[in-house]
Amino acid sequence: MDKDITIRLAQQPEADALLGRSPLAALVGMLLDQQVPMEWAFSGPWTIAQRLGSDDLDAHTIAAYDPEAFAALLSEKPAVHRYPGSMATRVQQLCAYLVEHYDGNAEAVWADVATGQELLKRLKALPGFGEQKAQIFLALLGKRFGVRPTGWREAAGGYGQANVYRSAADITGPESLARVRAHKQEMKAAAKAAKAGKAADGS
C-alpha cells in the first residue's frame, strides 16, 4: 500500500490518516460499516487504537485480548458502534482469522493476488464479510488504494464502475459523501416501495 494515500472516509484527519496507512484499520472500518453512519464506522479503528494506547491496530494484540475487556473498550462513551458488544466480537474474529491465515498481516490478503475474482474470494472468506461488503471493499482497494488486479472492476460489480456514487469506495470528501448518502437513501426508498407493492399485490 502506498503510504501517501489520502482517505476521507472518517471525515476527521487522524482517523483518515490511519485508514490510509494501515491495511488492518481499513478492513476494520469496512467491517464496522453497517447500521451506523459511514464516518462513525470508519472513525472506529482510530478510536480503538487510541483506547489500546497505540497509533495503529495490531491483529495479534486484538485477537489475544480478553473478549469482555475488548467489548468494554468499544462500549466506552462515545461507543465505537451502535452495537459495540457484537462488533467487538466481530473485530476479534476478523483479527483471529488474519493471525491464523496471514500471520496477522492484513495487507497479505491482497498483496499477491493476480485476479479480481481471487481477491473477491479471499475477502468473502473473512469473518463478517458477505458478498456486498467484499465487493465494496474490493472497489475501495481499487479506487483509493491502487490495488488493481486483473478484472478488479468486474469482480466488484456495480461498485467497481468509474464515476458512480454508490459506496465508501467513491468518497473523496464531503460532497461525494453526501452523494453516496443520497444514493443509499434512494435505494432504501426503492426497496421499501417494492416491498409495499408486493404486499399490495398479496404476493
Side-chain angles (χ1 to χ4, degrees):
M1 243 188 211
D2 179 350
K3 299 302 176 205
D4 298 322
I5 288 162
T6 304
I7 299 297
R8 297 263 188 270
L9 288 166
Q11 305 281 306
Q12 52 168 312
E14 292 144 329
D16 278 324
L18 177 62
L19 295 170
R21 72 173 183 268
S22 168
L24 179 56
L27 267 181
V28 170
M30 189 74 237
L31 181 70
L32 294 171
D33 184 23
Q34 58 189 68
Q35 297 175 299
V36 294
M38 219 176 294
E39 313 92 293
W40 184 1
F42 283 98
S43 301
W46 172 251
T47 306
I48 295 169
Q50 291 286 286
R51 290 177 186 176
L52 288 169
S54 176
D55 61 357
D56 196 358
L57 298 180
D58 180 86
H60 292 274
T61 303
I62 293 172
Y65 216 85
D66 175 73
E68 282 186 23
F70 192 66
L73 198 84
L74 269 67
S75 302
E76 276 176 36
K77 300 279 186 254
V80 167
H81 194 274
R82 183 175 290 153
Y83 305 107
S86 59
M87 279 302 172
T89 303
R90 287 188 177 196
V91 171
Q92 286 196 290
Q93 285 170 342
L94 174 65
C95 289
Y97 182 91
L98 292 171
V99 167
E100 187 184 337
H101 296 273
Y102 297 100
D103 196 27
N105 177 12
E107 193 168 8
V109 175
W110 54 84
D112 61 346
V113 169
T115 68
Q117 280 303 328
E118 173 63 20
L119 178 50
L120 182 64
K121 191 175 155 191
R122 286 190 184 190
L123 290 170
K124 280 166 64 177
L126 298 173
F129 278 69
E131 176 98 19
Q132 186 184 38
K133 199 178 277 289
Q135 285 191 319
I136 291 171
F137 193 75
L138 201 163
L140 180 67
L141 286 173
K143 292 178 180 183
R144 301 283 156 252
F145 292 100
V147 177
R148 294 167 183 158
T150 306
W152 70 272
R153 285 192 188 275
E154 292 77 8
Y159 301 109
Q161 293 171 14
N163 307 313
V164 294
Y165 295 94
R166 288 186 175 160
S167 72
D170 304 308
I171 291 168
T172 53
E175 188 198 341
S176 48
L177 174 67
R179 291 178 75 166
V180 168
R181 187 157 280 148
H183 172 76
K184 286 190 167 186
Q185 298 293 355
E186 279 170 30
M187 298 303 285
K188 263 187 189 161
K192 213 172 178 179
K195 210 173 176 182
K198 268 190 178 172
D201 291 341
S203 57

